[in-house]
Amino acid sequence: MNSIIFIPEQLMVGFQNRKDTFTGKLAYVIYYDEKGKLRKEHSWQNWRDRNIDPQEFVNEPTTGFVLNKKVGGYCYHYDPRQTYVRVYDPRGFEFEITVPNLLWILENSDCIKGKGLAGEFVYGWDGAELLLVPVDSPEYKESQKISIAKFSKNFIKGKDLIVGHTYKFTNSEQYVYLGKYDFYDSVRDPDSGRFGRINAKIGKRFFFGYEGSGPHNTVVPQISIPKSLTRLVTEETSDIMSDQYADYVSLMKKNPHFSPEDISKDKFVPFAVNEIMGLLFKECPWNPSYRYPLHNLLRMFVRRNDGTITHVCLRYITKADTSTQFPEWKNPDAPIYYVTNGDYDYTPALNIDDFVAGTFETLYTNPVYSWQTKKIWGYKERPVTLTELLNHFTPVWHYTYLTNGEFYKKEFFNDNYDFDE
Protein backbone atom coordinates (compact mmCIF):
# COMPACT_ATOMS: atom_id res chain seq x y z
CA MET A 1 0.00 0.00 0.00
CA ASN A 2 1.06 3.58 -0.58
CA SER A 3 1.99 5.45 2.59
CA ILE A 4 -0.60 8.16 1.81
CA ILE A 5 -4.22 7.06 1.41
CA PHE A 6 -7.11 9.42 0.80
CA ILE A 7 -9.67 9.05 3.61
CA PRO A 8 -12.89 10.94 2.81
CA GLU A 9 -15.42 12.19 5.35
CA GLN A 10 -18.61 11.11 3.58
CA LEU A 11 -19.46 7.91 1.66
CA MET A 12 -22.21 7.15 -0.83
CA VAL A 13 -23.21 3.52 -1.31
CA GLY A 14 -25.21 2.06 -4.19
CA PHE A 15 -26.53 -1.50 -4.34
CA GLN A 16 -27.41 -4.47 -6.53
CA ASN A 17 -29.42 -7.48 -5.41
CA ARG A 18 -27.14 -10.53 -5.40
CA LYS A 19 -28.12 -14.04 -4.33
CA ASP A 20 -24.47 -15.02 -3.84
CA THR A 21 -24.07 -12.59 -0.91
CA PHE A 22 -24.85 -13.16 2.77
CA THR A 23 -27.00 -10.03 2.96
CA GLY A 24 -28.53 -10.26 -0.51
CA LYS A 25 -26.99 -6.91 -1.48
CA LEU A 26 -23.64 -6.13 -3.07
CA ALA A 27 -22.41 -2.56 -2.66
CA TYR A 28 -20.44 -0.09 -4.76
CA VAL A 29 -18.88 2.50 -2.44
CA ILE A 30 -17.83 5.96 -3.64
CA TYR A 31 -17.07 9.20 -1.79
CA TYR A 32 -17.31 12.98 -1.68
CA ASP A 33 -13.94 14.68 -2.16
CA GLU A 34 -12.72 17.76 -0.30
CA LYS A 35 -14.58 20.02 -2.77
CA GLY A 36 -17.88 18.25 -2.20
CA LYS A 37 -17.83 16.47 -5.57
CA LEU A 38 -19.07 12.88 -5.71
CA ARG A 39 -16.20 10.97 -7.31
CA LYS A 40 -16.72 8.10 -9.82
CA GLU A 41 -20.40 9.02 -9.92
CA HIS A 42 -20.90 8.12 -13.61
CA SER A 43 -19.76 4.50 -13.31
CA TRP A 44 -21.52 4.21 -9.96
CA GLN A 45 -24.84 5.33 -11.45
CA ASN A 46 -24.46 2.86 -14.34
CA TRP A 47 -23.71 -0.02 -11.95
CA ARG A 48 -26.27 0.41 -9.18
CA ASP A 49 -29.87 -0.77 -9.20
CA ARG A 50 -31.91 2.44 -9.23
CA ASN A 51 -34.82 0.62 -7.61
CA ILE A 52 -32.75 0.38 -4.44
CA ASP A 53 -32.22 3.66 -2.63
CA PRO A 54 -28.54 4.55 -2.11
CA GLN A 55 -27.30 5.24 1.41
CA GLU A 56 -24.93 7.90 2.70
CA PHE A 57 -22.63 7.21 5.63
CA VAL A 58 -20.09 9.11 7.68
CA ASN A 59 -16.69 7.47 7.11
CA GLU A 60 -15.91 6.94 10.79
CA PRO A 61 -13.98 4.07 12.45
CA THR A 62 -16.29 1.05 12.57
CA THR A 63 -16.02 -2.47 13.98
CA GLY A 64 -17.69 -5.70 12.89
CA PHE A 65 -16.28 -6.30 9.38
CA VAL A 66 -16.33 -9.98 8.39
CA LEU A 67 -14.54 -11.78 5.55
CA ASN A 68 -17.05 -13.68 3.41
CA LYS A 69 -15.56 -15.41 0.35
CA LYS A 70 -13.34 -15.19 -2.69
CA VAL A 71 -14.83 -14.08 -6.02
CA GLY A 72 -13.29 -13.80 -9.48
CA GLY A 73 -9.96 -15.28 -10.44
CA TYR A 74 -11.26 -16.95 -13.59
CA CYS A 75 -11.09 -16.25 -17.30
CA TYR A 76 -13.82 -16.82 -19.88
CA HIS A 77 -12.20 -16.64 -23.29
CA TYR A 78 -10.39 -13.27 -23.30
CA ASP A 79 -12.30 -11.69 -20.40
CA PRO A 80 -10.37 -12.36 -17.19
CA ARG A 81 -11.89 -11.37 -13.83
CA GLN A 82 -9.47 -10.29 -11.13
CA THR A 83 -9.62 -12.07 -7.79
CA TYR A 84 -11.45 -10.15 -5.06
CA VAL A 85 -12.55 -10.86 -1.50
CA ARG A 86 -16.11 -10.16 -0.35
CA VAL A 87 -16.32 -8.35 2.99
CA TYR A 88 -19.41 -7.85 5.13
CA ASP A 89 -20.00 -4.33 6.43
CA PRO A 90 -21.98 -4.29 9.74
CA ARG A 91 -24.26 -1.65 8.22
CA GLY A 92 -25.89 -4.43 6.23
CA PHE A 93 -24.16 -4.95 2.88
CA GLU A 94 -21.14 -6.58 1.26
CA PHE A 95 -18.41 -5.05 -0.87
CA GLU A 96 -15.23 -6.27 -2.55
CA ILE A 97 -11.56 -5.62 -1.82
CA THR A 98 -8.42 -6.82 -3.60
CA VAL A 99 -6.16 -9.60 -2.34
CA PRO A 100 -3.25 -7.16 -1.70
CA ASN A 101 -5.63 -5.08 0.45
CA LEU A 102 -6.54 -8.22 2.44
CA LEU A 103 -2.88 -9.12 3.00
CA TRP A 104 -2.19 -5.59 4.22
CA ILE A 105 -5.19 -5.81 6.59
CA LEU A 106 -3.85 -9.07 8.05
CA GLU A 107 -0.46 -7.42 8.63
CA ASN A 108 -2.13 -4.84 10.87
CA SER A 109 -5.05 -6.69 12.49
CA ASP A 110 -6.30 -10.14 13.45
CA CYS A 111 -9.02 -12.24 11.87
CA ILE A 112 -10.96 -14.17 14.51
CA LYS A 113 -12.85 -17.28 13.39
CA GLY A 114 -16.59 -16.73 13.69
CA LYS A 115 -16.17 -13.04 14.60
CA GLY A 116 -14.38 -11.52 11.63
CA LEU A 117 -11.77 -8.81 11.54
CA ALA A 118 -10.63 -7.42 14.88
CA GLY A 119 -10.40 -3.68 15.36
CA GLU A 120 -11.80 -0.57 13.70
CA PHE A 121 -11.72 0.20 9.96
CA VAL A 122 -12.53 3.05 7.61
CA TYR A 123 -12.83 3.28 3.83
CA GLY A 124 -9.94 4.82 1.90
CA TRP A 125 -8.74 5.21 -1.68
CA ASP A 126 -5.34 4.64 -3.20
CA GLY A 127 -5.87 6.49 -6.48
CA ALA A 128 -9.02 4.87 -7.92
CA GLU A 129 -8.76 1.69 -5.84
CA LEU A 130 -11.02 1.20 -2.82
CA LEU A 131 -9.26 0.09 0.36
CA LEU A 132 -10.51 -1.10 3.73
CA VAL A 133 -8.09 0.66 6.07
CA PRO A 134 -7.20 -0.64 9.56
CA VAL A 135 -7.24 2.23 12.04
CA ASP A 136 -4.28 0.66 13.87
CA SER A 137 -2.05 0.79 10.78
CA PRO A 138 0.71 3.44 10.59
CA GLU A 139 -0.55 4.42 7.11
CA TYR A 140 -3.92 5.38 8.58
CA LYS A 141 -2.44 7.74 11.15
CA GLU A 142 -0.38 9.68 8.58
CA SER A 143 -3.13 9.63 5.94
CA GLN A 144 -5.72 10.82 8.41
CA LYS A 145 -3.67 13.92 9.22
CA ILE A 146 -3.46 14.81 5.53
CA SER A 147 -7.15 14.09 4.90
CA ILE A 148 -8.18 16.26 7.84
CA ALA A 149 -6.04 19.05 6.42
CA LYS A 150 -7.64 18.63 2.98
CA PHE A 151 -11.16 18.90 4.40
CA SER A 152 -10.18 21.75 6.73
CA LYS A 153 -10.95 25.31 5.70
CA ASN A 154 -7.86 26.65 7.47
CA PHE A 155 -5.49 26.67 4.49
CA ILE A 156 -2.71 29.23 4.22
CA LYS A 157 -3.31 31.83 1.52
CA GLY A 158 -0.72 33.24 -0.87
CA LYS A 159 -0.72 36.68 0.76
CA ASP A 160 0.33 35.09 4.05
CA LEU A 161 3.36 33.22 2.68
CA ILE A 162 6.80 34.47 3.74
CA VAL A 163 9.80 34.10 1.41
CA GLY A 164 12.32 31.57 2.70
CA HIS A 165 9.93 29.89 5.15
CA THR A 166 9.00 26.22 4.85
CA TYR A 167 5.42 24.99 4.37
CA LYS A 168 3.65 21.65 4.24
CA PHE A 169 1.34 20.87 1.31
CA THR A 170 -1.61 18.50 1.33
CA ASN A 171 0.69 15.77 -0.05
CA SER A 172 2.62 16.01 3.26
CA GLU A 173 5.82 17.22 1.52
CA GLN A 174 7.86 20.24 2.66
CA TYR A 175 8.26 23.23 0.32
CA VAL A 176 10.35 26.38 0.69
CA TYR A 177 8.57 29.50 -0.57
CA LEU A 178 10.67 31.46 -3.09
CA GLY A 179 8.26 34.22 -4.08
CA LYS A 180 5.57 35.17 -6.59
CA TYR A 181 6.88 35.98 -10.06
CA ASP A 182 5.86 36.22 -13.71
CA PHE A 183 5.31 32.76 -15.17
CA TYR A 184 6.31 31.96 -18.78
CA ASP A 185 5.31 28.99 -20.90
CA SER A 186 5.20 27.78 -24.49
CA VAL A 187 2.14 28.34 -26.67
CA ARG A 188 0.95 26.12 -29.50
CA ASP A 189 0.97 27.65 -32.97
CA PRO A 190 -2.58 27.18 -34.38
CA ASP A 191 -1.26 26.80 -37.94
CA SER A 192 1.70 24.43 -37.53
CA GLY A 193 0.51 22.75 -34.33
CA ARG A 194 4.00 23.09 -32.86
CA PHE A 195 4.78 24.57 -29.47
CA GLY A 196 7.00 27.61 -29.50
CA ARG A 197 9.74 28.62 -27.11
CA ILE A 198 9.05 29.05 -23.43
CA ASN A 199 8.75 32.84 -23.60
CA ALA A 200 5.04 33.68 -23.49
CA LYS A 201 4.02 35.45 -20.29
CA ILE A 202 1.03 33.66 -18.77
CA GLY A 203 0.63 35.54 -15.49
CA LYS A 204 1.88 35.46 -11.92
CA ARG A 205 2.64 32.17 -10.15
CA PHE A 206 4.01 31.07 -6.77
CA PHE A 207 7.44 29.42 -6.88
CA PHE A 208 8.61 26.83 -4.34
CA GLY A 209 11.73 24.71 -3.88
CA TYR A 210 11.58 21.13 -2.64
CA GLU A 211 13.49 17.86 -2.54
CA GLY A 212 12.03 15.58 -5.24
CA SER A 213 12.72 12.16 -6.67
CA GLY A 214 15.66 11.87 -9.04
CA PRO A 215 17.08 9.03 -11.12
CA HIS A 216 18.16 5.78 -9.45
CA ASN A 217 16.20 6.53 -6.24
CA THR A 218 18.10 9.74 -5.54
CA VAL A 219 16.71 12.93 -4.04
CA VAL A 220 17.42 16.14 -5.96
CA PRO A 221 16.35 19.78 -5.48
CA GLN A 222 13.50 20.80 -7.76
CA ILE A 223 11.18 23.73 -8.42
CA SER A 224 7.41 23.51 -8.02
CA ILE A 225 5.10 26.07 -9.65
CA PRO A 226 1.49 25.19 -8.73
CA LYS A 227 -1.28 26.72 -10.82
CA SER A 228 -3.22 27.59 -7.71
CA LEU A 229 -2.75 27.55 -3.93
CA THR A 230 -6.42 26.77 -3.33
CA ARG A 231 -6.63 24.09 -0.61
CA LEU A 232 -2.93 23.32 -1.02
CA VAL A 233 -0.78 24.80 1.79
CA THR A 234 -1.76 23.35 5.14
CA GLU A 235 0.77 24.73 7.63
CA GLU A 236 4.01 26.60 8.17
CA THR A 237 6.58 24.13 9.46
CA SER A 238 9.50 26.56 9.88
CA ASP A 239 9.37 30.30 10.50
CA ILE A 240 13.08 30.91 9.89
CA MET A 241 14.96 31.32 6.61
CA SER A 242 15.66 27.88 5.13
CA ASP A 243 19.30 26.88 4.73
CA GLN A 244 18.39 25.68 1.22
CA TYR A 245 16.78 28.95 0.14
CA ALA A 246 19.83 30.28 -1.75
CA ASP A 247 20.29 26.96 -3.59
CA TYR A 248 16.62 26.90 -4.61
CA VAL A 249 16.80 30.50 -5.87
CA SER A 250 19.85 29.61 -7.96
CA LEU A 251 17.94 26.65 -9.41
CA MET A 252 14.87 28.81 -10.07
CA LYS A 253 16.95 31.28 -12.08
CA LYS A 254 17.85 28.44 -14.47
CA ASN A 255 14.17 27.62 -15.02
CA PRO A 256 12.64 28.99 -18.27
CA HIS A 257 9.26 29.38 -16.52
CA PHE A 258 10.94 32.01 -14.31
CA SER A 259 13.26 33.63 -16.88
CA PRO A 260 12.05 32.98 -20.46
CA GLU A 261 14.13 31.71 -23.36
CA ASP A 262 15.95 34.42 -25.31
CA ILE A 263 16.06 33.44 -28.99
CA SER A 264 18.65 36.13 -29.73
CA LYS A 265 21.15 34.26 -27.57
CA ASP A 266 20.90 30.97 -29.53
CA LYS A 267 24.19 29.39 -30.56
CA PHE A 268 24.92 26.59 -32.99
CA VAL A 269 28.07 24.65 -32.16
CA PRO A 270 29.45 22.05 -34.62
CA PHE A 271 29.39 18.37 -33.71
CA ALA A 272 32.63 16.44 -33.45
CA VAL A 273 32.66 13.35 -35.70
CA ASN A 274 32.95 11.05 -32.70
CA GLU A 275 29.80 12.68 -31.24
CA ILE A 276 27.90 11.88 -34.44
CA MET A 277 29.12 8.29 -34.30
CA GLY A 278 28.12 7.97 -30.65
CA LEU A 279 24.60 9.20 -31.31
CA LEU A 280 24.07 7.31 -34.58
CA PHE A 281 25.46 3.90 -33.60
CA LYS A 282 24.01 2.24 -30.52
CA GLU A 283 25.32 -0.72 -28.59
CA CYS A 284 23.22 -3.45 -27.06
CA PRO A 285 22.11 -2.01 -23.67
CA TRP A 286 22.42 -5.33 -21.83
CA ASN A 287 25.69 -6.42 -23.52
CA PRO A 288 27.88 -3.56 -24.82
CA SER A 289 30.23 -6.01 -26.56
CA TYR A 290 27.31 -7.16 -28.76
CA ARG A 291 26.71 -4.50 -31.39
CA TYR A 292 23.78 -4.24 -33.73
CA PRO A 293 21.68 -1.41 -35.19
CA LEU A 294 19.21 -0.44 -32.48
CA HIS A 295 18.53 2.80 -34.38
CA ASN A 296 20.14 3.43 -37.74
CA LEU A 297 19.05 7.06 -37.96
CA LEU A 298 19.80 10.41 -36.36
CA ARG A 299 17.65 13.50 -36.80
CA MET A 300 19.74 16.60 -36.28
CA PHE A 301 20.13 20.28 -36.92
CA VAL A 302 22.72 21.09 -39.59
CA ARG A 303 24.33 24.24 -40.96
CA ARG A 304 24.33 24.62 -44.71
CA ASN A 305 27.45 25.92 -46.42
CA ASP A 306 25.73 29.31 -46.78
CA GLY A 307 25.43 29.53 -42.97
CA THR A 308 21.67 28.92 -42.64
CA ILE A 309 20.22 26.27 -40.33
CA THR A 310 17.96 23.40 -41.32
CA HIS A 311 17.53 19.74 -40.31
CA VAL A 312 18.08 16.33 -41.88
CA CYS A 313 17.86 12.69 -40.91
CA LEU A 314 21.20 10.87 -41.25
CA ARG A 315 20.96 7.10 -41.76
CA TYR A 316 23.20 4.16 -42.56
CA ILE A 317 22.42 0.94 -44.39
CA THR A 318 22.35 -2.27 -42.38
CA LYS A 319 22.62 -5.91 -43.21
CA ALA A 320 19.51 -8.07 -43.24
CA ASP A 321 21.19 -10.31 -40.67
CA THR A 322 21.61 -8.01 -37.69
CA SER A 323 22.75 -10.81 -35.40
CA THR A 324 26.35 -10.26 -36.49
CA GLN A 325 28.43 -7.18 -35.85
CA PHE A 326 28.19 -4.67 -38.65
CA PRO A 327 31.64 -4.62 -40.31
CA GLU A 328 31.69 -0.81 -40.79
CA TRP A 329 30.87 0.06 -37.20
CA LYS A 330 31.46 3.77 -36.49
CA ASN A 331 33.54 4.25 -39.63
CA PRO A 332 32.91 7.70 -41.19
CA ASP A 333 34.78 6.67 -44.38
CA ALA A 334 32.58 3.66 -45.07
CA PRO A 335 30.14 4.16 -48.01
CA ILE A 336 27.06 3.31 -45.96
CA TYR A 337 25.46 6.71 -45.19
CA TYR A 338 22.49 8.43 -46.78
CA VAL A 339 20.11 11.25 -45.86
CA THR A 340 16.31 11.52 -45.73
CA ASN A 341 14.02 14.39 -44.86
CA GLY A 342 12.91 12.87 -41.55
CA ASP A 343 12.46 9.63 -39.65
CA TYR A 344 8.82 9.08 -40.67
CA ASP A 345 9.15 11.34 -43.70
CA TYR A 346 11.03 8.73 -45.72
CA THR A 347 11.70 10.99 -48.72
CA PRO A 348 14.84 12.62 -50.14
CA ALA A 349 16.25 15.65 -48.30
CA LEU A 350 15.81 18.48 -50.80
CA ASN A 351 16.80 21.25 -48.38
CA ILE A 352 20.60 20.99 -48.80
CA ASP A 353 21.79 20.36 -52.38
CA ASP A 354 21.61 17.80 -55.19
CA PHE A 355 24.44 15.68 -53.80
CA VAL A 356 22.67 15.15 -50.48
CA ALA A 357 19.29 14.60 -52.16
CA GLY A 358 20.90 12.01 -54.45
CA THR A 359 21.86 9.74 -51.54
CA PHE A 360 18.21 8.70 -51.39
CA GLU A 361 17.22 8.58 -55.04
CA THR A 362 13.68 8.82 -56.35
CA LEU A 363 12.79 5.96 -58.70
CA TYR A 364 10.06 5.96 -61.33
CA THR A 365 8.68 3.08 -63.39
CA ASN A 366 6.11 2.93 -66.15
CA PRO A 367 2.62 1.57 -65.44
CA VAL A 368 2.51 -2.22 -65.37
CA TYR A 369 -1.23 -2.75 -65.63
CA SER A 370 -3.80 -0.98 -67.78
CA TRP A 371 -5.71 0.28 -64.73
CA GLN A 372 -2.65 2.11 -63.41
CA THR A 373 -2.96 5.69 -64.61
CA LYS A 374 0.05 7.08 -62.72
CA LYS A 375 3.68 6.17 -62.64
CA ILE A 376 4.77 3.92 -59.82
CA TRP A 377 7.36 5.62 -57.64
CA GLY A 378 9.73 4.59 -54.91
CA TYR A 379 13.15 5.28 -53.44
CA LYS A 380 16.52 3.62 -53.28
CA GLU A 381 19.54 4.32 -51.09
CA ARG A 382 22.65 5.60 -52.90
CA PRO A 383 25.01 5.54 -49.90
CA VAL A 384 28.18 7.61 -49.64
CA THR A 385 30.72 8.21 -46.88
CA LEU A 386 29.99 10.50 -43.96
CA THR A 387 33.19 12.36 -44.78
CA GLU A 388 31.71 13.26 -48.18
CA LEU A 389 28.41 14.36 -46.65
CA LEU A 390 30.19 16.66 -44.20
CA ASN A 391 31.49 18.65 -47.16
CA HIS A 392 27.89 19.69 -47.83
CA PHE A 393 26.57 20.37 -44.32
CA THR A 394 27.80 20.58 -40.73
CA PRO A 395 25.84 18.90 -37.88
CA VAL A 396 25.39 21.39 -35.01
CA TRP A 397 24.32 21.43 -31.38
CA HIS A 398 21.62 23.97 -30.62
CA TYR A 399 22.51 25.87 -27.41
CA THR A 400 19.72 27.89 -25.82
CA TYR A 401 19.89 30.55 -23.08
CA LEU A 402 17.49 32.40 -20.84
CA THR A 403 16.83 36.13 -20.74
CA ASN A 404 18.87 36.45 -17.54
CA GLY A 405 21.88 34.92 -19.34
CA GLU A 406 21.67 31.48 -17.71
CA PHE A 407 22.40 28.49 -19.94
CA TYR A 408 19.23 26.43 -20.48
CA LYS A 409 19.99 23.36 -22.61
CA LYS A 410 21.68 21.94 -25.67
CA GLU A 411 20.01 19.63 -28.16
CA PHE A 412 20.75 18.13 -31.55
CA PHE A 413 17.11 18.18 -32.70
CA ASN A 414 13.71 19.44 -31.61
CA ASP A 415 10.45 18.85 -33.51
CA ASN A 416 9.07 22.19 -32.37
CA TYR A 417 11.76 24.23 -34.12
CA ASP A 418 11.87 24.74 -37.88
CA PHE A 419 14.61 27.18 -38.83
CA ASP A 420 13.61 26.99 -42.52
CA GLU A 421 10.42 28.91 -41.82
Side-chain angles (χ1 to χ4, degrees):
M1 297 296 117
N2 287 335
S3 58
I4 304 301
I5 299 165
F6 182 71
I7 301 175
E9 293 182 342
Q10 294 290 126
L11 305 173
M12 181 67 78
V13 186
F15 304 97
Q16 285 185 0
N17 289 318
R18 292 287 185 89
K19 293 182 180 179
D20 60 346
T21 61
F22 178 76
T23 60
K25 288 193 297 185
L26 183 64
Y28 185 167
V29 184
I30 58 174
Y31 64 93
Y32 290 95
D33 65 15
E34 68 272 17
K35 297 179 181 179
K37 177 178 175 58
L38 191 59
R39 303 303 294 267
K40 302 180 71 174
E41 182 179 10
H42 180 72
S43 62
W44 179 78
Q45 292 284 14
N46 289 336
W47 181 90
R48 74 182 184 92
D49 186 341
R50 294 174 185 261
N51 293 319
I52 306 175
D53 292 333
Q55 297 184 36
E56 189 169 335
F57 297 103
V58 176
N59 189 26
E60 57 188 0
T62 304
T63 60
F65 288 89
V66 180
L67 299 178
N68 185 359
K69 66 177 183 178
K70 163 190 167 296
V71 292
Y74 50 76
C75 179
Y76 291 131
H77 300 290
Y78 297 101
D79 185 22
R81 165 104 155 96
Q82 184 178 340
T83 301
Y84 290 90
V85 177
R86 290 263 175 89
V87 181
Y88 168 76
D89 186 301
R91 285 162 285 202
F93 56 85
E94 290 182 35
F95 64 101
E96 297 177 353
I97 62 172
T98 63
V99 172
N101 186 187
L102 173 61
L103 296 176
W104 176 58
I105 289 172
L106 296 178
E107 289 177 0
N108 293 277
S109 60
D110 295 323
C111 183
I112 303 172
K113 185 177 181 180
K115 294 186 178 180
L117 297 172
E120 295 181 317
F121 296 82
V122 296
Y123 288 87
W125 273 262
D126 180 7
E129 180 182 328
L130 167 68
L131 300 175
L132 185 61
V133 181
V135 171
D136 291 333
S137 66
E139 290 86 352
Y140 169 78
K141 295 177 176 58
E142 183 63 27
S143 299
Q144 182 68 349
K145 292 179 184 178
I146 296 173
S147 296
I148 289 174
K150 280 188 175 182
F151 284 96
S152 170
K153 296 182 180 179
N154 299 321
F155 288 90
I156 297 176
K157 298 180 180 179
K159 64 183 179 63
D160 299 320
L161 296 173
I162 300 175
V163 171
H165 287 199
T166 305
Y167 298 87
K168 180 184 285 188
F169 285 9
T170 52
N171 62 1
S172 197
E173 299 294 332
Q174 307 281 335
Y175 294 79
V176 176
Y177 179 52
L178 306 179
K180 186 177 183 180
Y181 303 99
D182 288 329
F183 175 80
Y184 298 87
D185 208 347
S186 58
V187 178
R188 185 189 290 273
D189 186 300
D191 297 323
S192 68
R194 291 192 298 265
F195 282 95
R197 300 292 188 90
I198 302 177
N199 57 11
K201 184 186 292 188
I202 306 300
K204 297 280 188 179
R205 292 274 182 92
F206 296 91
F207 287 70
F208 295 85
Y210 71 105
E211 297 298 300
S213 299
H216 309 296
N217 297 319
T218 58
V219 176
V220 295
Q222 298 181 28
I223 301 299
S224 175
I225 316 171
K227 284 186 176 181
S228 169
L229 295 188
T230 304
R231 308 183 68 87
L232 180 64
V233 185
T234 60
E235 63 177 299
E236 182 183 61
T237 58
S238 174
D239 59 358
I240 61 175
M241 181 67 69
S242 169
D243 294 337
Q244 297 171 289
Y245 172 73
D247 293 333
Y248 287 138
V249 169
S250 178
L251 184 62
M252 178 179 67
K253 289 180 178 179
K254 298 176 182 178
N255 191 308
H257 298 296
F258 170 78
S259 179
E261 292 185 69
D262 187 344
I263 299 176
S264 68
K265 292 183 170 69
D266 282 6
K267 292 181 180 179
F268 294 94
V269 180
F271 272 50
V273 173
N274 65 325
E275 289 182 301
I276 301 174
M277 295 292 97
L279 291 168
L280 181 59
F281 291 87
K282 303 294 184 181
E283 296 172 341
C284 176
W286 55 88
N287 184 2
S289 64
Y290 176 48
R291 296 169 172 174
Y292 69 103
L294 281 176
H295 306 285
N296 67 320
L297 60 89
L298 174 64
R299 289 191 298 171
M300 57 186 179
F301 293 122
V302 297
R303 180 186 288 125
R304 301 183 183 95
N305 289 341
D306 64 4
T308 57
I309 302 298
T310 186
H311 66 273
V312 297
C313 184
L314 177 65
R315 301 171 182 264
Y316 64 90
I317 58 174
T318 62
K319 285 189 173 183
D321 178 12
T322 58
S323 63
T324 59
Q325 179 177 329
F326 193 80
E328 304 290 354
W329 185 265
K330 293 188 177 181
N331 181 4
D333 294 317
I336 60 174
Y337 303 92
Y338 64 102
V339 176
T340 64
N341 193 48
D343 52 351
Y344 295 107
D345 187 0
Y346 208 59
T347 57
L350 305 177
N351 52 349
I352 306 291
D353 58 26
D354 292 342
F355 178 84
V356 174
T359 64
F360 195 54
E361 184 182 21
T362 305
L363 301 178
Y364 292 94
T365 61
N366 292 323
V368 177
Y369 301 103
S370 59
W371 51 266
Q372 292 176 327
T373 59
K374 294 183 179 180
K375 292 182 177 180
I376 309 301
W377 58 271
Y379 301 102
K380 181 177 178 60
E381 301 92 341
R382 300 292 187 191
V384 297
T385 68
L386 180 59
T387 303
E388 291 176 292
L389 284 172
L390 295 183
N391 290 326
H392 298 264
F393 60 76
T394 303
V396 291
W397 288 104
H398 179 212
Y399 284 72
T400 58
Y401 296 83
L402 306 182
T403 302
N404 59 12
E406 292 280 357
F407 170 74
Y408 176 38
K409 65 180 178 180
K410 77 171 186 177
E411 56 195 359
F412 54 84
F413 186 75
N414 189 318
D415 268 323
N416 288 318
Y417 305 155
D418 190 344
F419 295 102
D420 286 324
E421 293 181 347

